[in-house]
Amino acid sequence: MKHTVILVGADKGGVGKTTLSRALLDYLERNNVLARAFDTENPRGTLKRFYPGKAEIIDLSNVADQMKILDTMDKVSETVTVVDLKAGNLSNALEIFEKIGVLQAARDGVFDMGLLHVVGPSIASLDEMNEVAKYTNGLGYVVARNFINETNFFEWDEATYSKYFARLPNAREIEVPKLNEMAYEQVDLAGVTFSDFVANKSADGEGADFSFVLRGYVRKWMSDIDAQIEQLDMVKNIMAEKRAAAGGK
Amino acid sequence: MTAGSANHPSSVATLAEIDQTLSSVAIVTSDCARNGKTLFSKLMADLLTLRRGDAPQIFDTDFPAGGLAAHFENTSQIVDLNRTTDQVKIFDGMLNSKGEAYIIDLVARHHSKFFDIYRDTGFEQGAREAALDVTIFFVIDRELSSIQAARDIHKSLRDTRFVVVRNAAVGDALEQPEAAKLYAEMRVDREIILPDLSPVALGMLEHVDFHFDIFVADGYSQFPFELKAELWSFLETLYEQREQVDRGAAQPL
């Protein structure tokens, strides 16, 4: 089964990269797709707090850590690698990957690669899309507009956004729906996955006492974001490969 | 007794049982304002007090005014459905309760929001798992749209007991063929009709100091005979309808 690398990034902090990474990992886990994750928020780590057994903190500028991602793909049981890129590090990471031939390898079909680019409400986010576009040829490029924290005060209007978006060949877009603030905070405080929060399980796997209402909000949000994730070609391919592999067995 | 069953729960449960169950919830709602919803909530609270011996807990969603809360100061909470903390207070509070009876007086402006939360959080299933017995009392108004709103709620919450309340003083649209058709589609096998009252009797019912448990205990001996007779008649009519509902008797249109 061909390995898939999914980069989740933005050139700005606080736009919801890690939330989207968590939602994606959650989706894959619920669909029985083995995935591993790299948290480049070095040294503290953000994603690792929610996926201690699945995520590893790395420094993407470190060659040994780059090797951890790229030279292990055909050796691990996981078929998907999610890389949660450090805030402000998207263009830099893409430049590194281009230089060392990773992007070209993906274009050549050695493995699949997708980029989930989370954009925030500022005009700078639109310029980011232009900046990133030069690397995305031949990759699955997805612009994720994040509404999770009710980022509905986008500085740009739809027409401006559409103009920028139209310049991106083969780009897709998804929307990260809004999640009730209190529910979001409680999941964050609990340090559990969205699925475990809904299942009322604590980080150590024991029964928890999370609010029924808040769990309901998270369940609804998960259902909404699942619908967004499912429409991505990279995810469709992963699921198709999984079905094919299961059929082959 | 649980609310969930393969059949519509109304066919297997009685309102007498609801009163005796470990925890029960009566949601009094309408898509329109000023059609006797709060009055009906008050009557429900009084009837529950008469049956159970203690007053139900009341969530009054008319924040900040709290119309019903003024009638039950010691057992009411005025809640703001726009606040998540209050949503948690209502829904989590009910699911975690032991042996309480609840009445939610749902103000018309929050009707849609409340049932969005109800559906989105999966409260129907949660209530079933918690053996929480829920009944929706929908007070229909005089417009066809009100029957449609009732039908929509009934259709989307199949496992929750649903009772239509018709207020004779307000009227309804059931004379219209389309309304009657929608009503029949709801397959309403339980309804309560609030009889029309004289202005004096209605004014008395709406008074914050009037309660039927006190009335039954002859606490208002100074009332004129005619007023007492009318209130007794009203109470008996309500009781009789509740008994009919208990027996699952259908009220033909």
Side-chain angles (χ1 to χ4, degrees):
Chain A
M1 203 172 146
K2 197 193 275 189
H3 201 94
T4 303
V5 178
I6 301 175
L7 308 175
V8 184
D11 271 338
K12 191 177 178 306
V15 291
K17 292 182 307 300
T18 303
T19 302
L20 186 56
S21 299
R22 286 160 59 196
L24 182 62
L25 286 166
D26 230 46
Y27 174 86
L28 295 171
E29 192 164 288
R30 276 181 280 117
N31 286 281
N32 301 314
V33 175
L34 287 176
R36 60 181 183 159
F38 290 99
D39 182 351
T40 69
E41 203 67 53
N42 182 285
R44 195 168 51 90
T46 308
L47 185 63
K48 189 167 174 62
R49 193 159 76 81
F50 301 96
Y51 287 94
K54 192 172 275 198
E56 184 178 347
I57 300 172
I58 59 164
D59 177 359
L60 206 54
S61 63
N62 182 304
V63 175
D65 280 355
Q66 292 169 13
M67 288 165 67
K68 274 186 189 167
I69 305 175
L70 303 165
D71 293 349
T72 54
M73 282 189 276
D74 54 353
K75 298 181 184 72
V76 293
S77 56
E78 291 91 345
T79 55
V80 177
T81 297
V82 174
V83 185
D84 184 18
L85 295 169
K86 192 174 186 170
N89 204 29
L90 173 60
S91 302
N92 189 36
L94 290 171
E95 193 180 342
I96 291 171
F97 284 153
E98 188 73 285
K99 268 184 191 163
I100 62 177
V102 175
L103 300 188
Q104 191 55 47
R107 288 179 197 118
D108 293 343
V110 178
F111 53 87
D112 289 332
M113 181 174 258
L115 169 62
L116 297 184
H117 181 186
V118 187
V119 295
S122 66
I123 291 281
S125 283
L126 299 180
D127 292 331
E128 264 180 40
M129 285 158 54
N130 274 350
E131 178 69 21
V132 164
K134 63 188 176 204
Y135 300 107
T136 59
N137 184 31
L139 308 178
Y141 177 49
V142 177
V143 175
R145 290 202 283 173
N146 182 22
F147 290 85
I148 191 161
N149 297 325
E150 205 164 32
T151 314
N152 52 3
F153 301 104
F154 280 87
E155 289 174 9
W156 27 270
D157 59 24
E158 280 301 308
T160 310
Y161 168 75
S162 298
K163 209 164 68 183
Y164 273 82
F165 189 76
R167 290 182 204 150
L168 307 169
N170 305 317
R172 295 287 302 269
E173 67 174 332
I174 59 170
E175 286 184 1
V176 180
K178 176 176 162 45
L179 173 60
N180 175 283
E181 293 89 345
M182 194 173 168
Y184 186 81
E185 270 175 23
Q186 289 300 309
V187 181
D188 205 53
L189 273 175
V192 295
T193 65
F194 293 115
S195 287
D196 280 351
F197 188 82
V198 169
N200 211 13
K201 285 201 297 192
S202 63
D204 57 9
E206 299 295 313
D209 194 21
F210 302 135
S211 154
F212 180 86
V213 168
L214 301 184
R215 286 189 287 131
Y217 274 123
V218 176
R219 187 190 303 113
K220 171 73 167 54
W221 178 80
M222 278 170 62
S223 156
D224 291 344
I225 198 163
D226 278 3
Q228 298 282 313
I229 289 172
E230 273 163 2
Q231 60 171 286
L232 299 177
D233 289 338
M234 67 182 88
V235 173
K236 283 181 189 165
N237 290 341
I238 291 167
M239 299 312 293
E241 290 230 15
K242 181 179 171 287
R243 280 192 296 274
K249 281 176 190 168
Chain B
M1 185 200 54
T2 61
S5 73
N7 300 315
H8 193 276
S10 60
S11 63
V12 295
T14 69
L15 285 179
E17 284 174 321
I18 297 169
D19 297 344
Q20 301 304 322
T21 196
L22 280 176
S23 295
S24 68
V25 181
I27 301 165
V28 182
T29 187
S30 179
D31 60 317
C32 302
R34 305 200 59 78
N35 56 18
K37 186 171 47 53
T38 296
L39 174 63
F40 184 76
S41 295
K42 177 179 176 176
L43 294 171
M44 285 294 296
D46 276 355
L47 294 183
L48 276 169
T49 305
L50 279 169
R51 284 196 170 201
R52 290 170 54 98
D54 57 350
Q57 297 296 311
I58 291 168
F59 288 118
D60 185 343
T61 64
D62 188 10
F63 179 86
L68 183 62
H71 296 256
F72 301 93
E73 284 182 346
N74 296 328
T75 53
S76 293
Q77 295 181 70
I78 301 169
V79 286
D80 181 1
L81 275 173
N82 288 320
R83 287 190 199 150
T84 309
T85 46
D86 281 6
Q87 295 168 16
V88 170
K89 192 188 286 179
I90 298 172
F91 289 101
D92 281 66
M94 293 190 303
L95 287 175
N96 294 325
S97 73
K98 296 276 185 291
E100 293 284 357
Y102 292 93
I103 291 176
I104 301 175
D105 185 30
L106 187 52
V107 70
R109 67 176 179 277
H110 283 322
H111 171 79
S112 297
K113 185 181 183 75
F114 178 87
F115 285 107
D116 283 348
I117 298 167
Y118 197 100
R119 279 184 289 261
D120 288 352
T121 58
F123 187 77
E124 193 169 43
Q125 189 184 338
R128 193 185 311 134
E129 287 167 6
L132 183 66
D133 205 299
V134 184
T135 305
I136 297 170
F137 292 92
F138 195 108
V139 183
I140 55 170
D141 210 275
R142 60 179 73 84
E143 302 298 329
L144 172 65
S145 59
S146 189
I147 310 260
Q148 287 167 331
R151 198 265 315 257
D152 290 347
I153 296 294
H154 181 251
K155 203 172 167 182
S156 66
L157 298 171
R158 284 289 187 189
D159 283 340
T160 304
R161 189 179 298 103
F162 191 83
V163 177
V164 171
V165 180
R166 297 164 63 183
N167 187 348
V170 173
D172 52 53
L174 293 175
E175 294 290 317
Q176 298 176 32
E178 194 181 346
K181 183 169 166 281
L182 282 173
Y183 200 69
E185 277 174 16
M186 277 197 276
R187 281 184 280 171
V188 170
D189 54 1
R190 294 183 165 199
E191 66 174 9
I192 290 177
I193 299 174
L194 283 180
D196 209 355
L197 284 165
S198 69
V200 176
L202 181 62
M204 194 51 64
L205 286 190
E206 289 178 338
H207 197 283
V208 291
D209 290 332
F210 179 86
H211 289 288
F212 268 119
D213 53 325
I214 301 172
F215 176 73
V216 167
D218 204 20
Y220 306 113
S221 54
Q222 75 281 16
F223 281 11
F225 174 78
E226 293 78 10
L227 177 59
K228 278 188 186 176
E230 187 176 4
L231 291 172
W232 268 115
S233 169
F234 180 81
L235 182 61
E236 280 171 5
T237 306
L238 271 187
Y239 250 97
E240 172 59 21
Q241 289 188 76
R242 284 182 60 113
E243 290 304 313
Q244 285 181 348
V245 169
D246 285 354
R247 293 193 296 270
Q251 292 274 5
L253 283 173

